[in-house]
Amino acid sequence: MSLQSTSLQTRDMPLGRDDLARLVARDIAPGSFVNLGIGQPTLVSNYLTEEQNITLHTENGMLGMGPEAKGDEIDEDLINAGKIPVTELPGASYFHHADSFAIMRGGHLDICVLGAFQVSATGDLANWHTGAPGAIPAVGGAMDLASGAKDVFVMMTLLTRDGASKLVEHCTYPLTGVGCVTRVYTDKAVFLTGPDGVIVRETFGCTLEELQELVPLPLQSAAAVGV
Amino acid sequence: MSLQSTSLQTRDMPLGRDDLARLVARDIAPGSFVNLGIGQPTLVSNYLTEEQNITLHTENGMLGMGPEAKGDEIDEDLINAGKIPVTELPGASYFHHADSFAIMRGGHLDICVLGAFQVSATGDLANWHTGAPGAIPAVGGAMDLASGAKDVFVMMTLLTRDGASKLVEHCTYPLTGVGCVTRVYTDKAVFLTGPDGVIVRETFGCTLEELQELVPLPLQSAAAVGV
Amino acid sequence: MLNFIDTVGEAVAGIQDGSTVMIGGFGNAGQPFELIDALLDGGATDLTVVNNNAGQGDQGLALLIKEGRVRKMICSFPRQSDSWHFDAKYHAGEIELELVPQGNLAERIRAAGAGIGGFFTPTGYGTMLAEGKETRIIDGRGQVFETPIHADVALIKALKADGKGNLVYRKTARNFGPIMAAAAKHTIAQVSEIVPIGGLDPENIVTPGIYVNSIVKVA
Amino acid sequence: MLNFIDTVGEAVAGIQDGSTVMIGGFGNAGQPFELIDALLDGGATDLTVVNNNAGQGDQGLALLIKEGRVRKMICSFPRQSDSWHFDAKYHAGEIELELVPQGNLAERIRAAGAGIGGFFTPTGYGTMLAEGKETRIIDGRGQVFETPIHADVALIKALKADGKGNLVYRKTARNFGPIMAAAAKHTIAQVSEIVPIGGLDPENIVTPGIYVNSIVKVA
């Protein structure tokens, strides 16, 4: 494998959460319909531009979701999937839960962005359950998004607090979906996942060689494979 | 079998189509949600009273259908299942086809009234296809109504033009639904059908003995079985 | 991506030979006559058409059938007093018919839009329309396995669209429009009126713009 | 039959021990708090409850769970920062949990209302939530067989009802209300306002009155 790391390194430093969210936002094609799940991925909404004309979907029954509600805008009947008060943009629509999940499950969303515990080389996703004994499992809409969206992007730190890679050959946590993740955005690199293995699109504050030291599966350089 | 015909005969003459429609209308419980199919059963709507507070459903997406539209009321966007212009009553609602058939298929209609070629002793219905070679089959919503409504009433003449009974031991025409018909309203009698056989509720212009001559399956008297 | 298109001809220009085309409407209500006429003019052939009926009189879908452009009809009620063009093609063995109970037609279209791989329904159990199909008894009732109907294109008619492609309909003209819009890869809607973004109440949208690709105003 | 009822207590009085009760709402939006409180006061126990969550804080469903009235929860997201009453009962082995992906929960409820005997979906395929379930490959995708969720009673919250029982909702408080109303044998709706027949636009009804049995106005 040819590791052409210099051409991939786009930043001197690992990315913070906001920089990562900005990067994901920049990568979303104009006019897309997008679901940002709950937690960290919702930061992406802060960096979408008006020119991009992105329509945000929330699983609890809305297209055209606006930014988080502040002060007088707060309305208990208008919340997102994380149960945080949000606002409504012009051109929004409301629908019931079966219609909302039909949008997700029917393949109509262009992109969903999710957090993850682990992603495998072939795009398996584990993000709902640690599998720890006694842990109460809760899945919400994660499996529907994983299996339904045209593209599933993951946002996560590359390493656990213990320094283990979350990008793995095979997930050890219970799966959310099989072969569903197409891109993984981490603080140290952006990876493209799929049936042909893992391709590194760019690195942040490390060379490809250094990255390969951290990740226990073979990495290919985007420059080398011509992506 | 004890044939107590005198107590069942309620009219001196066979019923005409309008008298039959009036009888069906009278038998519909107040507050019911009803679908009247197409053709002859739609006559029933002429005899429903305001006090009955019946809500009519039409398969093409409406609850609260009113009478046929006349003159200036005619609106090409407001038709019934027979494609005849109709009107809208206060409290009506419109919905799309999947939602409309969910009402029918989900068991939410109290009664549907359908025409028939044949009904069997156990309530099998044949009303969509003669089975004749070269005939173009057309089924519409008949099978959904037959399998979905809580009660399926049939309105038909008892005999074909050739004098054969349409109430039969086993249907020879292709089936619309199995064991679905609960009542059969004919010009000569009202029959209750079900797993226990055929019960005659009342006769028009004939005795039960005379009726039994016409129908090739054992008839029980409602008076005798205590219905 | 959503496009507002000036003419019905341009709107249907991308429809390929061999496509599966859903056409909204029940009787005349909700039929996108202008889009169908444009499809007739456009020349696409070898089509599979999904519609409740199989054309009436000498207009719209009936003409498409007459001209031999429809290889197969998927419908619930092809036989009407004025469906002579379908009748002729059918008796000549020149058109294929998949006859589907109307509720199965609606539910199969809905299933395609909702990502359902197939479902069991009591409708049609024990009838010739279930012959050859998988069946099972569920909670004591015989049920038939039915599969989704996907389409390349849907041609539908709505009352109004806003700038986001959200649609509202009028009375019983709503019928198949919303479920076909969700089941097709590319949905083309003819509307009577286009209003600005914000011109429709978010509570009353029937078809969200995510399901709509092309909108053309028809006078 | 539709009844307009004066108090939430009378509205829930008929709910029997052992019933399956669907409760609308996602977070606080659309939760029929007053009906849940009345159910708590009414004493029915051994309930199976269908809700997206498993109660939050010290109110509503959480209290019903705390009081030991819920035998089984069917939900997608029981674990929240303030779901301590469910947590305690779960760890004590005093409540059964059927964990369902949220889209399967919605679709299974919808299937019950629409008379569908079961359906195949890709959601959950290859995960532990599909263990023991029938699967098949359809069009190259692994799919899981899921069955309808019926209920004896649905408790939902809507914005307005008209005299025919037609309902409209408000913003994301709509969520599970419409599908639960259709899936339950008996649907009880608490509303903020009751308007006369004709007071709601027929184009904008979300839940037709055919799905509603009891309506109670909550100030």
Side-chain angles (χ1 to χ4, degrees), chain B residues 38 58-62 75-83 88 94-99 101-102 105 128-130 134-141 143-148 174-178, chain C residues 26-27 29-30 52-53 56 76-80 86-87 90-91 97 99-104 106-107 110 119 121-129 141 157 170-176 178-179:
Chain B
I38 57 175
T58 182
E59 67 192 23
N60 51 317
M62 183 187 196
D75 178 340
E76 69 169 8
D77 286 342
L78 182 46
I79 60 177
N80 68 12
K83 287 150 193 162
E88 166 194 303
Y94 297 103
F95 26 78
H96 64 57
H97 241 78
D99 282 349
F101 277 79
R105 294 151 66 99
W128 72 284
H129 189 18
T130 61
I136 296 179
V139 65
M143 289 186 180
D144 305 291
L145 282 169
S147 67
L175 292 188
T176 306
V178 177
Chain C
F26 181 95
N52 188 58
N53 304 106
Q56 296 149 263
S76 86
F77 210 83
R79 189 193 62 225
Q80 307 202 100
F86 177 82
D87 295 10
Y90 183 80
H91 286 121
L97 170 64
L99 186 73
V100 183
Q102 196 175 157
N104 284 355
E107 189 68 18
R110 190 252 171 207
F119 59 89
T121 172
T123 294
Y125 182 80
T127 76
M128 58 185 264
L129 294 187
R141 295 198 74 182
K157 178 182 171 181
R170 188 165 176 277
K171 300 187 185 282
T172 59
R174 187 183 303 195
N175 58 67
F176 284 95
I179 52 175

Side-chain angles (χ1 to χ4, degrees), chain C residues 157-162 165-170 174 191 200-201 204-207, chain D residues 203-204:
Chain C
K157 178 182 171 181
L159 178 64
K160 295 183 193 180
D162 71 9
N166 294 308
L167 303 179
V168 295
Y169 300 81
R170 188 165 176 277
R174 187 183 303 195
V191 300
L200 296 177
D201 185 339
N204 302 337
I205 304 296
V206 176
T207 295
Chain D
E203 299 284 4
N204 302 338

Side-chain angles (χ1 to χ4, degrees), chain C residues 7 45 47-48 62 65 79 92 94 103 114 116 119 122 126 128 133 140 142 155 174 183 185-186 189 198 215:
Chain C
T7 68
T45 191
L47 303 173
T48 295
I65 290 168
R79 189 193 62 225
E94 291 172 5
I116 299 299
F119 59 89
M128 58 185 264
K133 296 191 172 184
L155 306 181
R174 187 183 303 195
K185 290 195 199 90
H186 188 89
I215 292 174

Side-chain angles (χ1 to χ4, degrees), chain C residues 11-12 19 23 34 46 52 94 96-97 106 112 156 163 176 184 207 214 219:
Chain C
V12 304
S19 297
I23 301 179
E34 287 79 0
D46 193 31
N52 188 58
E94 291 172 5
E96 190 182 340
L97 170 64
I156 66 170
F176 284 95
T207 295
S214 300

Side-chain angles (χ1 to χ4, degrees), chain C residues 107 110 114-122 134 136 138-139 143 145 148 150 169-172 174 202-206, chain D residues 107 110 114-122 134 136 138-139 143 145 148 150 169-172 174 202-206:
Chain C
E107 189 68 18
R110 190 252 171 207
I116 299 299
F119 59 89
F120 285 93
T121 172
E134 177 183 350
R136 65 174 69 171
I138 298 176
D139 290 336
Q143 309 219 13
F145 187 63
H150 294 271
Y169 300 81
R170 188 165 176 277
K171 300 187 185 282
T172 59
R174 187 183 303 195
E203 299 285 3
N204 302 337
I205 304 296
V206 176
Chain D
E107 189 69 18
R110 191 253 171 204
I116 299 299
F119 59 88
F120 284 94
T121 171
E134 177 183 351
R136 65 174 68 173
I138 299 175
D139 290 336
Q143 309 218 13
F145 187 63
H150 294 271
Y169 300 80
R170 187 164 177 278
K171 303 188 183 280
T172 59
R174 185 184 303 195
E203 299 284 4
N204 302 338
I205 305 295
V206 176

Side-chain angles (χ1 to χ4, degrees), chain A residues 59 75-79 81 83 88 94 96-97 101 105 128 134 136-141 143-144 147 175-176, chain D residues 26-27 29 53 76-80 87 90-91 99 102-104 121 123 127 141 170-176:
Chain A
E59 67 192 22
D75 177 340
E76 68 169 10
D77 286 343
L78 181 46
I79 59 177
K83 288 151 192 161
E88 168 193 302
Y94 297 102
H96 64 58
H97 241 78
F101 277 79
R105 294 150 65 99
W128 72 283
I136 296 179
V139 64
M143 289 186 180
D144 305 290
S147 68
L175 292 188
T176 307
Chain D
F26 180 96
N53 303 106
S76 87
F77 210 83
R79 189 193 60 225
Q80 306 203 98
D87 295 8
Y90 184 80
H91 286 121
L99 186 72
Q102 197 175 158
N104 284 356
T121 171
T123 294
T127 76
R141 296 197 74 183
R170 187 164 177 278
K171 303 188 183 280
T172 59
R174 185 184 303 195
N175 58 66
F176 285 93

Side-chain angles (χ1 to χ4, degrees), chain D residues 55-131:
Chain D
Q56 296 149 263
D58 280 296
Q59 60 178 350
L61 176 54
L63 291 184
L64 213 54
I65 290 169
K66 178 190 178 194
E67 298 299 328
R69 308 266 289 283
V70 181
R71 185 180 63 74
K72 178 179 178 181
M73 274 304 314
I74 302 177
C75 68
S76 87
F77 210 83
R79 189 193 60 225
Q80 306 203 98
S81 58
D82 56 353
S83 57
W84 45 71
H85 292 306
F86 176 81
D87 295 8
K89 289 286 178 190
Y90 184 80
H91 286 121
E94 291 172 7
I95 195 165
E96 190 183 339
L97 171 64
E98 180 178 347
L99 186 72
V100 183
Q102 197 175 158
N104 284 356
L105 186 66
E107 189 69 18
R108 291 174 64 190
I109 294 168
R110 191 253 171 204
I116 299 299
F119 59 88
F120 284 94
T121 171
T123 294
Y125 182 80
T127 76
M128 57 185 265
L129 294 187
E131 282 171 15

